[in-house]
Amino acid sequence: MSRRKPYPEEHENHERWLVSYADFITLLFAFFVVMYAISSVNEGKYRVLSDSLVSAFKNPQTQTGGKPVVIVQGTPIQPPAPLPVPAITPQQAPEDEHKIKTKQKMKNVADEIMKALQPLVAEGKVRLLETSRGVTIEINDSILFPPGQARLQAISVAALGALAQVLASSDFPITIEGHTDNTPIATPQFPSNWELSAMRATTVLRLFNDAGVSAERLTAIGYGETRPLETNTTPEGRGRNRRVSILIDSNRAEEGREITEPAN
């Protein structure tokens, strides 16, 4: 039996790593090519940006408030945009004009009252106060009514008549307030200071109406002793608290709206 010949030994290739290395180098090269393509700068855009920045720093144009306007080379210079002016709506202008006219009319009325009551103002019996609602005239009751009564003294009728003539020529609403001190009163005609103060205010109201002030402009209120100006512990304080205040109101009453259901 013949003996088989042995197969020749396979030669080991020690250079196979070069294939993997070449593939790796190829991939690495492709990676850097892609990265370079992504990060490449458009030279034309870069030059436009650079020229714009240089022009902005060399030729600054400012608007109101100091904000710079960047001028891009090759484009026309745009003038600064004008500041917006708040428009006056047709509803605002007449309202403002009405307020100005009302304020002037009230000032004229106050000047006329001061002239008519100047002697009493000089004696400290009458004070004129300007309030947010208009003008208030405070008259001490020592020149208006005898103690505990609501009948005007003769000396006060002439002064109130002169005041009524000034008020009759205007169209402002007028509120007449009666005030007393805290001295109790209990007579058949005036069971308390409430009735006394209300009757005194009504007496002045009637005089104004008889002198030509329209009734729809007049209102009488009696506050009694509830709104003192000073303390009632001294004779002087009680004398200040016994007074009649006449408010000339510049605010027109708004028309009411009926409430038909409770608010949520």
Side-chain angles (χ1 to χ4, degrees):
M1 186 173 176
S2 61
R3 183 183 283 182
R4 290 183 180 180
K5 295 181 179 180
Y7 290 104
E9 293 182 1
E10 293 182 0
H11 177 71
E12 184 178 357
N13 187 357
H14 295 286
E15 297 172 349
R16 288 183 300 176
W17 63 272
L18 290 174
V19 177
S20 298
Y21 179 76
D23 291 339
F24 175 76
I25 293 299
T26 302
L27 290 174
L28 191 61
F29 175 77
F31 173 77
F32 280 109
V33 169
V34 172
M35 293 298 295
Y36 177 78
I38 293 175
S39 62
S40 63
V41 180
N42 188 316
E43 184 178 356
K45 294 182 179 179
Y46 176 80
R47 186 173 298 278
V48 171
L49 176 61
S50 176
D51 294 342
S52 300
L53 293 176
V54 171
S55 299
F57 284 104
K58 287 184 178 180
N59 303 288
Q61 301 291 333
T62 58
Q63 290 178 324
T64 302
K67 296 181 179 179
V69 179
V70 178
I71 303 174
V72 180
Q73 189 174 7
T75 61
I77 300 176
Q78 299 295 331
L83 294 176
V85 178
I88 299 177
T89 60
Q91 293 80 9
Q92 290 176 334
E95 182 180 356
D96 294 340
E97 185 178 355
H98 175 71
K99 288 182 179 179
I100 294 174
K101 289 183 178 179
T102 300
K103 187 175 182 179
Q104 185 60 44
K105 288 173 62 177
M106 181 63 70
K107 183 179 182 302
N108 295 338
V109 170
D111 292 341
E112 292 296 325
I113 293 173
M114 179 62 74
K115 293 178 182 178
L117 302 179
Q118 182 58 41
L120 296 176
V121 172
E123 295 177 9
K125 301 297 184 180
V126 174
R127 292 199 312 162
L128 265 68
L129 306 175
E130 184 178 1
T131 67
S132 59
R133 294 180 57 185
V135 174
T136 298
I137 310 164
E138 288 187 358
I139 307 176
N140 191 280
D141 83 329
S142 62
I143 64 170
L144 294 177
F145 306 101
Q149 298 184 26
R151 176 175 47 83
L152 286 169
Q153 299 186 87
I155 189 176
S156 63
V157 174
L160 290 177
L163 177 58
Q165 291 181 2
V166 175
L167 298 178
S169 61
S170 66
D171 58 353
F172 296 112
I174 300 168
T175 301
I176 305 166
E177 301 173 351
H179 303 270
T180 67
D181 59 19
N182 66 343
T183 304
I185 184 173
T187 65
Q189 188 178 5
F190 306 117
S192 70
N193 283 323
W194 289 105
E195 287 80 8
L196 177 61
S197 62
M199 182 57 70
R200 286 179 171 179
T202 304
T203 300
V204 176
L205 180 147
R206 288 185 177 277
L207 186 147
F208 282 173
N209 185 233
D210 294 340
V213 182
S214 56
E216 61 271 11
R217 293 171 52 201
L218 295 171
T219 302
I221 304 175
Y223 286 108
E225 62 195 65
T226 60
R227 298 193 178 185
L229 292 177
E230 296 185 7
T231 178
N232 280 307
T233 58
T234 64
E236 293 79 9
R238 289 192 294 272
R240 282 288 312 279
N241 294 332
R242 295 191 299 269
R243 69 197 186 278
V244 170
S245 298
I246 302 170
L247 171 61
I248 307 169
D249 199 342
S250 61
N251 297 324
R252 302 291 179 179
E254 297 181 357
E255 185 177 354
R257 181 177 64 86
E258 182 180 2
I259 299 175
T260 57
E261 59 184 19
N264 295 331

